[in-house]
Amino acid sequence: MAAWGERLAGVRGVLLDISGVLYDGGEDGGTPIPGSVEAVARLKRSQLKVRFCTNDSQKSRRELVGLLQRQGFDISEGEVTSPAPATSLILKERGLRPHLLIHDGVRSEFDQIDTSNPNCVVIADAGEGFSYQNMNKAFRVLMDLEKPVLISLGKGRYYKETSGLMLDVGAYMKALEYACGIEAEVVGKPSPEYFQLALKEMGVEAHEAIMIGDDIVGDVGGAQRCGMRALQVRTGKFSRFREGAVLESEPGSKSQPWPRDLKQTPCSRALLSGG
């Protein structure tokens, strides 16, 4: 623990991923990862600031928080940084009118946004909504614009639910990028601006924070490039076999020895042992 104590010196805030760290989602609402409810409670009773930073774009923030509260987590809407509300603010600030390729569960986050005569496309994890017809419609909207703007809520490759691995929005984002010859603007991890938003909302500087997640690219690599410390847990979509291939393709992501789960991370272990 001494080595970890040195690595964690000066940490004032903890950013927690949600899917794959707190719980594994599923059609029935999913299940908490063992020990995660207790670990969050201990962290929040400590002197550390705690914030939840997610790329979930299938649920509104209210729905996601309600689900987690029913599973026993101490969490409120004001403690969650999620991509849909952040995207809504960007659309308003820039006067953008989106064509929405999103899941119905998150559509309420865009109720106050003008979607007439679209001048951009917003793509999220649409799940079954990623049909050929819907993808082609988004493609046509972009191709009809003089200066096409594609905004993606995260760029994850895949995530894990109780039924297994699920393809994420990043694969569909890449398809539109390739077809249209453009580069998407990412609102969500690993975007530096998204991490900076979460840090600002938590009230700590990057060097004072640690990110805990299951994604070597979105959570660990993104946080490290912002000047934060980061830990990857062996829950959610973690696989030591897949991580090696990802690290080769993402040289900026540096993996630390993997804690088994949130309860076994150095922050939580210190608190659980009274340190």
Side-chain angles (χ1 to χ4, degrees):
M1 288 295 292
W4 278 116
E6 294 176 5
R7 292 180 187 178
L8 297 176
V11 168
R12 296 179 51 236
V14 180
L15 282 178
L16 295 176
D17 184 24
I18 292 179
S19 176
V21 175
L22 303 190
Y23 86 120
D24 285 325
E27 291 185 2
D28 60 351
T31 58
I33 291 170
S36 59
V37 172
E38 179 186 10
V40 169
R42 293 279 184 143
L43 284 170
K44 295 189 74 172
R45 287 199 298 268
S46 75
Q47 295 181 347
L48 294 170
K49 295 185 177 182
V50 179
R51 188 161 187 86
F52 305 89
C53 188
T54 181
N55 270 4
D56 191 314
S57 61
Q58 283 200 351
K59 304 177 189 67
S60 68
R61 183 162 50 180
R62 175 175 297 181
E63 180 185 356
L64 177 62
V65 167
L67 184 153
L68 292 170
Q69 288 174 339
R70 290 191 294 275
Q71 293 182 352
F73 288 98
D74 179 5
I75 185 173
S76 64
E77 282 188 60
E79 296 173 311
V80 178
T81 299
S82 59
T87 301
S88 292
L89 289 175
I90 290 171
L91 295 173
K92 291 177 181 178
E93 290 171 356
R94 293 167 57 180
L96 292 172
R97 303 180 304 278
H99 170 76
L100 297 172
L101 178 48
I102 62 176
H103 195 279
D104 285 343
V106 79
R107 201 167 292 276
S108 62
E109 300 280 15
F110 298 91
D111 281 348
Q112 305 303 314
I113 300 297
D114 181 7
T115 58
S116 63
N117 190 24
N119 58 5
C120 72
V121 168
V122 169
I123 184 174
D125 180 9
E128 296 298 324
F130 280 131
S131 64
Y132 173 81
Q133 290 80 4
N134 289 341
M135 284 289 289
N136 201 52
K137 173 60 177 176
F139 164 71
R140 288 178 174 178
V141 170
L142 289 167
M143 292 298 283
D144 284 342
L145 297 173
E146 181 180 356
K147 296 181 179 180
V149 175
L150 173 62
I151 298 176
S152 180
L153 277 63
K155 57 180 288 187
R157 303 178 185 199
Y158 55 88
Y159 55 93
K160 182 177 177 292
E161 290 196 340
T162 52
S163 61
L165 296 179
M166 309 292 288
L167 202 60
D168 204 352
V169 64
Y172 302 95
M173 178 199 81
K174 286 293 184 182
L176 290 175
E177 283 185 331
Y178 177 72
C180 300
I182 60 175
E183 184 175 348
E185 301 177 26
V186 177
V187 181
K189 299 173 291 186
S191 164
E193 293 80 8
Y194 192 66
F195 277 113
Q196 290 298 331
L197 173 63
L199 290 168
K200 181 179 179 180
E201 291 172 331
M202 187 164 58
V204 301
E205 299 294 326
H207 68 277
E208 300 173 318
I210 186 167
M211 175 75 206
I212 300 175
D214 66 330
D215 188 322
I216 189 65
V217 177
D219 298 324
V220 174
Q224 289 173 338
R225 281 189 286 273
C226 285
M228 298 168 58
R229 283 162 272 194
L231 282 172
Q232 184 184 21
V233 291
R234 288 181 288 166
T235 53
K237 65 182 179 183
F238 170 85
S239 164
R240 68 178 68 244
F241 305 110
R242 288 190 294 268
E243 298 312 303
V246 173
L247 280 171
E248 289 181 7
S249 63
E250 299 283 347
S253 303
K254 301 176 183 178
S255 182
Q256 301 287 350
W258 305 298
R260 188 181 68 217
D261 50 40
L262 179 59
K263 187 177 179 180
Q264 294 300 315
T265 61
C267 295
S268 296
R269 290 181 68 183
L271 290 167
L272 289 167
S273 63

